[in-house]
Amino acid sequence: MSPIRSNTRRQASTTRRARIPSIAQGLTITWSQLIVVASVAALLNGLVCQAAGRAPPEPYYGRFIGDFTNFAHGIKGQIYAVDESTLFVKSFAYDGTGPDAFFWVGKTPRPSPEGYIIPYPEEYIGIDPPILQAHNNTDIILRLPMGKRIKDIRWLSVWCRRFTVDFGEVFIPPGIDVPKPRVLPEFKRLAHGLRSSNISVLDAKTFYIPNLHYDGAGPDAYFWVGNGSEPNIMGIKVPNEMGSLEPLRGYQGEDIEIQLPGSLTVYDIDWLAVWCVEYRHNFGHVYIPRDLDVPPALGQTKITPPWWYSPTTTTPRPVYSNCREILPNKLQVKWELQGEYLQIELFGRITEDQYMAFGLSGVNGRPQMAQSDVVVAFYDTNARVFRAEDYFISDLSQCDGQRGVCPDERIGARNDVIVVSGDRKNGVTSIRYKRLLQTNEAIYDAPIPTDREVSIIAAIGPLNSRKEANAHLHTASDHNPDDIRINFSARNDHSCKNSLYDVKDVSGPKPWPARKIEGVRKFHASIGPTGGKRGYTAITGVPSWGIAWYVNDLLIPEITVERGANYEFYIEGGNDPAQPARYHPFYISDSPEGGLGQKIGLEARKQKVYAGVEFDEDGNAIPTASGRYCEWEHRTVDRSAEIDNFEDYKGTLVYKCEDGEPGYLNWTVPSDAPDLLYYQCFTHNNLGWKINVVNRGTANFAIGSHLILYAVSTVFSLIGITRISQLT
């Protein structure tokens, strides 16, 4: 019997264990007694099954909305609400002959031109979504765009834009109760430093485990699920965030997602644990409640790439246990054996017209490009896809179709590299791919040994017009001049000390020093320009989008506050939601990115808000700290590149305010606030910066120049002068 039993069998066996005396306990019973007890147990089991109502009826697609009404072109399909932003269309049919048809949603009483497209497929090439193709009983997942939610729409239509014709429609019932992720407690802390933050059930198969800590010292530990009142040996392994069933490595505060294997769902289990199989020991667990109403697992939950580094953290959060920095501050490689495959992750500080190459040296014992087998990975700006190409280098020359630095496919062989995923953020391109250890291509693919070290080569260089690798410059920083050897079967070969996202861009003008405010209890927050490469980006390491918070007339200063102390903020970031570019409610959060108002679901739950936001009865975030819009504007053009200090740069700006009053935020810092928080914009990412939180009495509290400036400016504002510069 499978270690995971059906609900009925599991509950029945639990009831039997609870009600029937055990012979092992030294008790004896008659057959008649046994029959009576068994009958009672069966009755109780039936009642328990009815009361628990654990699993929804199968097949489970979410909350049923209705069937398409067909007006033309054979529209058919049943529509379900999967979660707050996802629709599922079961058995969709359409003849595909409409000239400009799309999935179309809106909030008018009936389908009309006042709607917008749900792109399908979601991943597409080009600027505009493709028109809807023919379908015959296709199951389709539709994700609402631009942060929209099902409660924001009234209908779904197959709509022809060109002729403004409704081919088919279904209406969303008012107040529909859609399935939602469920937040559970954290792991119970029993052994090996296991702990986490509150765990979420994202859908019927997916767990999100934030801030996971585990020392990795268990000899045979796994994520483990099963039935019963406590974790036990009758469970099964759950693959880790990489899909691997290798024993768990150590975790140091990482956020991961794991998915239940096979047909198993959260409705089939009682607990999730970290369990040591060899010693039959429970390191910690969390119970699964019986009243779940989570989204079905239809593939709509996109697992967060576990190889992603947060660009604002100072400590790398590797998921692979193996990592080497091949080119200092430019190229890192991470790897993991997965059966007969080797999975590789390349991280490169490269531009969009560059590639990164990694592979086996042409000769063992030194880095040799000639006769080497490498993978060239890059972002294809034409096709807008991440690519990883299998190359064989016969000669150090441009590929002529027969010899040179050639993709295998150009010389009659196969591309044996499979791209898994890719990303590009803040100047770092990351591409994840895998390849068979032995491809059976004797000429162009070298076998990857797993029983010894092997010399590798790596390089960064320009792409040519064919999107193929051109020669790199042969400097010490764009290839490895020394012999570097890797044993690809190694575990915990991890020498990467920093994330490439933390490497500052040294090109361009010298950055301005960061400003700090300490010992101040009143703050004035308005909007201003970011100062180009000298300002926001240089301070935070994150690209800006043109504006940022100015606090007490300083560009994103670091603020120091004391736990238990009270602070006042006067906010001039705009209060009209109808003008998104001039609507920047102020709030305080643990998120280095901010932008809570544009996030939903898991992304929103990753933030903890400390001030400036309230939540309605549905859990929706509502900003509370907004006021008139005031902005430091350029008198002419942005002159940050030619000005060496912020004070002179501010002299090139002029301060302008719309009519109205500032918003107000009164904040008492909680005694349990973490050491680092951020002031941010509710509606946009990356406008604010750090709040350093210290214990009461440790901040240098004195009436400093910033407070004097604020007091003076407040007095002047009362007599109609908005800035001291107006006096000169």
Side-chain angles (χ1 to χ4, degrees):
M1 180 182 291
S2 169
I4 300 295
R5 299 175 293 278
S6 70
N7 293 330
T8 302
R9 284 180 294 177
R10 171 172 52 77
Q11 293 163 351
S13 64
T14 302
T15 306
R16 285 195 295 271
R17 286 195 297 270
R19 300 295 182 186
I20 302 177
S22 170
I23 296 176
Q25 294 174 335
L27 299 175
T28 60
I29 58 175
T30 67
W31 278 109
S32 59
Q33 290 173 318
L34 181 60
I35 292 171
V36 171
V37 171
S39 300
V40 173
L43 176 61
L44 289 174
N45 175 62
L47 293 175
V48 168
C49 289
Q50 293 175 19
R54 290 209 61 172
E58 294 292 342
Y60 177 49
Y61 304 123
R63 200 75 73 242
F64 182 65
I65 291 176
D67 293 284
F68 265 127
T69 299
N70 173 49
F71 299 130
H73 296 285
I75 303 297
K76 294 180 182 178
Q78 301 85 50
I79 295 83
Y80 297 81
V82 176
D83 58 34
E84 60 185 352
S85 61
T86 309
L87 297 167
F88 177 69
V89 185
K90 178 67 177 171
S91 302
F92 177 66
Y94 164 56
D95 65 15
T97 60
D100 194 31
F102 301 89
F103 287 114
W104 188 260
V105 293
K107 57 182 180 180
T108 53
R110 297 196 62 82
S112 73
E114 297 179 27
Y116 51 90
I117 295 171
I118 304 182
Y120 182 81
E122 187 178 9
E123 307 293 339
Y124 60 88
I125 298 171
I127 298 175
D128 296 320
I131 63 172
L132 196 56
Q133 302 299 307
H135 290 273
N136 183 18
N137 294 324
T138 305
D139 292 342
I140 288 176
I141 292 175
L142 298 176
R143 201 181 310 272
L144 297 180
M146 301 175 290
K148 296 291 186 181
R149 288 170 283 195
I150 290 175
K151 71 175 187 177
D152 299 323
I153 63 175
R154 298 179 67 175
W155 43 260
L156 167 68
S157 167
V158 177
W159 178 268
C160 181
R161 260 189 331 188
R162 184 180 303 176
F163 296 106
T164 63
V165 175
D166 182 10
F167 294 164
E169 66 187 19
V170 65
F171 290 92
I172 313 298
I176 184 171
D177 182 22
V178 302
K180 296 181 177 65
R182 177 72 173 265
V183 179
L184 309 181
E186 63 180 48
F187 272 128
K188 191 172 183 179
R189 307 179 184 190
L190 298 180
H192 286 287
L194 179 69
R195 67 182 191 274
S196 69
S197 297
N198 289 351
I199 296 169
S200 293
V201 183
L202 302 184
D203 63 33
K205 293 183 72 69
T206 309
F207 289 93
Y208 167 62
I209 308 174
N211 193 30
L212 177 62
H213 291 260
Y214 163 59
D215 64 12
D220 194 28
Y222 304 88
F223 294 116
W224 190 254
V225 293
N227 300 313
S229 58
E230 296 287 342
N232 55 66
I233 62 172
M234 297 300 290
I236 65 171
K237 297 176 184 177
V238 177
N240 66 14
E241 70 281 3
M242 298 302 302
S244 170
L245 285 175
E246 291 291 313
L248 294 181
R249 62 178 179 85
Y251 295 87
Q252 299 180 18
E254 293 152 43
D255 300 346
I256 68 168
E257 293 97 355
I258 60 174
Q259 288 189 329
L260 298 175
S263 60
L264 193 65
T265 73
V266 293
Y267 297 105
D268 301 320
I269 60 176
D270 290 326
W271 39 259
L272 164 69
V274 174
W275 176 270
C276 182
V277 174
E278 181 176 348
Y279 290 98
R280 301 186 177 188
H281 188 58
N282 176 25
F283 296 165
H285 62 276
V286 63
Y287 289 112
I288 314 300
R290 294 180 175 273
D291 59 346
L292 292 173
D293 182 20
V294 297
L298 304 177
Q300 81 283 356
T301 302
K302 293 190 175 181
I303 297 297
T304 302
W307 35 267
W308 182 77
Y309 278 129
S310 170
T312 56
T313 56
T314 56
T315 303
R317 298 166 60 186
V319 169
Y320 295 110
S321 61
N322 304 305
C323 178
R324 293 280 194 93
E325 186 156 300
I326 309 298
L327 305 180
N329 293 330
K330 286 193 174 181
L331 182 66
Q332 290 180 350
V333 58
K334 306 180 184 191
W335 72 92
E336 179 182 70
L337 280 179
Q338 293 186 345
E340 59 186 354
Y341 284 90
L342 175 66
Q343 183 163 273
I344 297 286
E345 196 81 39
L346 296 180
F347 288 77
R349 288 198 68 84
I350 60 175
T351 61
E352 288 188 344
D353 59 356
Q354 288 183 307
Y355 66 83
M356 46 188 172
F358 175 78
L360 303 184
S361 173
V363 62
N364 215 26
R366 68 176 187 273
Q368 176 177 299
M369 292 286 181
Q371 304 303 304
S372 64
D373 176 19
V374 302
V375 172
V376 173
F378 58 94
Y379 178 63
D380 188 332
T381 54
N382 293 337
R384 298 188 180 184
V385 295
F386 292 92
R387 291 170 54 184
E389 305 288 340
D390 204 352
Y391 271 62
F392 177 71
I393 303 177
S394 58
D395 299 285
L396 299 182
S397 61
Q398 191 174 73
C399 181
D400 62 7
Q402 295 181 335
R403 301 186 62 82
V405 182
C406 293
D408 284 12
E409 289 183 329
R410 282 198 68 192
I411 50 179
R414 297 188 310 267
N415 179 23
D416 292 296
V417 179
I418 302 170
V419 176
V420 178
S421 56
D423 192 25
R424 180 166 175 79
K425 289 184 179 180
N426 306 319
V428 176
T429 298
S430 58
I431 297 178
R432 177 183 177 191
Y433 63 88
K434 62 181 182 179
R435 204 205 83 166
L436 286 166
L437 298 174
Q438 174 61 263
T439 67
N440 296 319
E441 279 195 359
I443 298 177
Y444 302 115
D445 285 340
I448 300 172
T450 59
D451 58 348
R452 65 185 186 278
E453 291 185 331
V454 62
S455 297
I456 60 92
I457 56 172
I460 287 173
L463 293 162
N464 62 24
S465 59
R466 292 177 59 98
K467 297 297 181 182
E468 293 179 356
N470 265 6
H472 54 87
L473 298 177
H474 293 280
T475 64
S477 63
D478 68 0
H479 77 291
N480 59 305
D482 301 321
D483 184 31
I484 298 176
R485 302 186 185 190
I486 289 178
N487 184 342
F488 286 107
S489 65
R491 296 184 63 191
N492 299 316
D493 181 355
H494 198 290
S495 58
C496 299
K497 294 182 172 57
N498 294 293
S499 164
L500 292 186
Y501 290 106
D502 293 332
V503 177
K504 299 294 185 182
D505 185 359
V506 296
S507 63
K510 181 180 178 181
W512 300 322
R515 296 298 194 270
K516 297 184 178 181
I517 298 179
E518 186 173 355
V520 174
R521 294 286 177 86
K522 292 186 177 182
F523 301 96
H524 177 265
S526 55
I527 300 298
T530 57
K533 290 187 176 181
R534 293 186 186 272
Y536 184 94
T537 298
I539 294 170
T540 66
V542 177
S544 69
W545 66 285
I547 61 172
W549 282 117
Y550 277 53
V551 178
N552 290 4
D553 297 347
L554 299 176
L555 170 62
I556 57 163
E558 284 191 31
I559 298 172
T560 297
V561 299
E562 294 182 338
R563 294 181 178 90
N566 183 263
Y567 296 88
E568 294 178 280
F569 294 83
Y570 294 87
I571 315 301
E572 296 176 334
N575 54 12
D576 184 1
Q579 300 186 59
R582 302 170 74 85
Y583 180 58
H584 310 291
F586 183 95
Y587 80 111
I588 296 171
S589 165
D590 62 358
S591 168
E593 183 179 68
L596 178 63
Q598 61 175 258
K599 295 174 172 60
I600 61 174
L602 174 59
E603 277 193 302
R605 289 191 296 276
K606 286 183 177 180
Q607 292 194 28
K608 183 175 181 180
V609 174
Y610 284 82
V613 173
E614 294 178 349
F615 294 88
D616 65 18
E617 59 184 11
D618 294 325
N620 299 310
I622 300 172
T624 60
S626 58
R628 66 177 183 177
Y629 187 75
C630 296
E631 181 178 6
W632 290 93
E633 298 179 355
H634 297 294
R635 293 181 186 273
T636 54
V637 296
D638 186 354
R639 295 175 54 197
S640 59
E642 62 190 75
I643 298 177
D644 293 332
N645 61 78
F646 173 73
E647 287 73 19
D648 289 344
Y649 174 72
K650 195 169 69 172
T652 70
L653 308 177
V654 59
Y655 191 78
K656 296 182 179 180
C657 280
E658 295 179 349
D659 294 337
E661 298 295 328
Y664 179 72
L665 174 63
N666 189 295
W667 180 44
T668 299
V669 184
S671 59
D672 60 349
D675 293 341
L676 181 61
L677 293 174
Y678 298 85
Y679 56 92
Q680 294 289 7
C681 169
F682 179 82
T683 53
H684 301 92
N685 294 335
N686 300 325
L687 261 69
W689 194 225
K690 295 179 179 178
I691 299 177
N692 299 306
V693 182
V694 299
N695 290 331
R696 194 72 175 264
T698 58
N700 179 23
F701 190 82
I703 299 180
S705 59
H706 302 306
L707 182 56
I708 294 172
L709 274 176
Y710 175 74
V712 171
S713 63
T714 300
V715 170
F716 283 142
S717 68
L718 294 175
I719 60 175
I721 299 174
T722 57
R723 279 298 178 269
I724 297 175
S725 57
Q726 289 182 253
L727 297 176
T728 61

